[in-house]
Amino acid sequence: MTKVTVVGAGNVGATCADVLATREICQEVVLVDIKEGFAEGKALDIAQKAPVIGYDTRTVGVTGDYARTANSDVVVITSGLPRKPGMTRDDLIATNSKIVNEVTSKIIEHSPNAIIIIVSNPLDVMTYAAHLASKKDRRQVMGMAGILDTARYRAFLAEALDISPKEIQAILMGGHGDTMVPLPRYTTVAGIPVTELIDADKLDAIVERTKKGGGELVKLMGTSAWYAPGAAAAQMVEAIVKNQRRVFPVCVKLDGEYDIKDCYLGVPVILGKNGIEKIIELDLNDDEKAMLETSRSHVKEVMDTFDKMNAGA
Ligand code: LMR
């Protein structure tokens, strides 16, 4: 039986659990929250949708009962605060790092073999926090951001080209913030280089909009997005539990790849039953390398802030 735990029954966690169940990605989803009755209610609602849509994944909700999450194959951690208008993701570091630390330790106690996917922000540094707390192999602790960021990029391109978003393949690297590095050189429409189909100014505007894609939604809704983030996390779970070996941009600790060490950044990987099966190293040009370096140095600064907070704790 494939069992997946989603920690945090807020908008992102509940959407992820809903996609996992609706698409029958696993046999059981356990949704956990600290707010009394919240996860139970959301799980019940998802279970009651099953006869209408037609799926048989079992959905269970619990309030803080980590024993019920035991022996999960994959755990998605969405816990923590979302941002409000005017905030950056990095502003959440103090609150969310404590939560991610605590949740990861409880998860590991009951599911030592689980592969962990972090969704909480600031994403790259929360992946670092979970990796430290879990003491697991780096291939088994990863962050979800690249699928979401490329999804935004692909959706904007699909709209501009008046074409199905399914036809657009893209890769994007770097941190989950304004320094992220969309890669037009590695973007195709059914195999056709996107640069042959759209003019440079339009493409530049789409790249810039993608970088600020999360903020655009925060401004519109007063809180962070959830449909695309929840679905993106579920897609990573699917690649792992079905051993699909799909290629996605995923946040992982780099250990010499791209000449970067000890930093958590989004890079293209093959995702399968062991988690990160392989990190793919692209032959970046000088401009792309420079953008990746800017992103690395920003993420490293936030990692340093996290280290200082931890040392003072
Ligand atoms: C997103 O990109 O939607 C998330 O990281 C949430 C946020 O605050 O932007």
Side-chain angles (χ1 to χ4, degrees):
M1 185 185 80
T2 321
K3 177 171 175 177
V4 177
T5 287
V6 180
V7 190
N11 289 331
V12 177
T15 303
C16 179
D18 186 39
V19 174
L20 289 171
T22 309
R23 298 191 49 213
E24 296 181 324
I25 289 171
C26 52
Q27 272 85 51
E28 184 174 63
V29 181
V30 179
L31 192 55
V32 190
D33 206 277
I34 42 165
K35 193 169 148 192
E36 190 69 44
F38 197 54
E40 286 86 336
K42 296 254 176 131
L44 194 57
D45 196 10
I46 294 169
Q48 291 172 356
K49 191 169 108 283
V52 182
I53 303 290
Y55 50 89
D56 47 32
T57 293
R58 193 158 166 238
T59 318
V60 179
V62 292
T63 305
D65 178 11
Y66 281 83
R68 186 65 188 78
T69 70
N71 302 318
S72 293
D73 299 287
V74 182
V75 176
V76 180
I77 299 179
T78 72
S79 321
L81 296 182
R83 56 178 165 149
K84 295 205 169 72
M87 290 173 87
T88 69
R89 295 179 180 94
D90 299 342
D91 294 335
L92 302 168
I93 189 170
T95 320
N96 287 359
S97 56
K98 278 199 200 100
I99 298 172
V100 169
N101 252 327
E102 208 180 295
V103 165
T104 307
S105 305
K106 286 183 188 155
I107 282 297
I108 288 300
E109 196 185 314
H110 296 281
S111 302
N113 299 322
I115 291 176
I116 299 178
I117 300 173
I118 299 297
V119 179
S120 315
N121 271 319
L123 190 274
D124 310 282
V125 182
M126 292 305 98
T127 307
Y128 172 37
H131 190 203
L132 286 183
S134 69
K135 303 185 178 68
K136 285 177 77 80
D137 187 287
R138 68 173 175 143
R139 290 173 311 161
Q140 303 214 312
V141 184
M142 62 196 83
M144 185 296 295
I147 295 182
L148 170 64
D149 295 324
T150 40
R152 288 182 176 139
Y153 177 52
R154 292 163 66 201
F156 296 148
L157 282 170
E159 195 190 6
L161 294 167
D162 194 15
I163 219 166
S164 165
K166 289 186 203 162
E167 300 298 347
I168 300 177
Q169 295 83 37
I171 206 82
L172 177 151
M173 291 177 63
H176 182 49
D178 297 355
T179 62
M180 71 179 73
V181 188
L183 293 169
R185 218 163 55 88
Y186 293 95
T187 306
T188 65
V189 180
I192 308 162
V194 73
T195 42
E196 291 185 19
L197 300 177
I198 190 165
D199 51 63
D201 290 353
K202 271 198 190 149
L203 187 54
D204 283 352
I206 286 174
V207 164
E208 285 315 305
R209 188 174 174 197
T210 301
K211 290 182 181 175
K212 310 221 161 55
E216 179 179 353
L217 288 157
V218 174
K219 222 186 249 171
L220 287 167
M221 302 193 294
T223 187
S224 296
W226 58 90
Y227 293 119
Q235 190 169 47
M236 288 175 69
V237 173
E238 183 173 32
I240 294 166
V241 298
K242 296 187 181 167
N243 193 24
Q244 289 174 323
R245 299 187 68 85
R246 292 200 63 183
V247 176
F248 291 128
V250 169
C251 173
V252 59
K253 180 183 184 189
L254 294 182
D255 194 14
E257 296 85 4
Y258 293 94
D259 291 327
I260 296 173
K261 253 185 161 326
D262 297 324
C263 189
Y264 293 72
L265 280 181
V267 287
V269 309
I270 299 175
L271 215 49
K273 66 176 186 325
N274 300 305
I276 311 273
E277 303 282 355
K278 185 180 175 0
I279 294 177
I280 297 175
E281 289 198 66
L282 303 175
D283 189 11
L284 300 178
N285 65 27
D286 288 348
D287 287 350
E288 292 157 348
K289 278 187 194 154
M291 287 189 283
L292 188 62
E293 170 50 25
T294 305
S295 199
R296 184 209 61 82
S297 89
H298 177 79
V299 170
K300 193 76 178 106
E301 258 174 47
V302 190
M303 284 173 62
D304 290 346
T305 307
F306 170 84
D307 286 339
K308 280 185 202 129
M309 275 173 19
N310 260 6

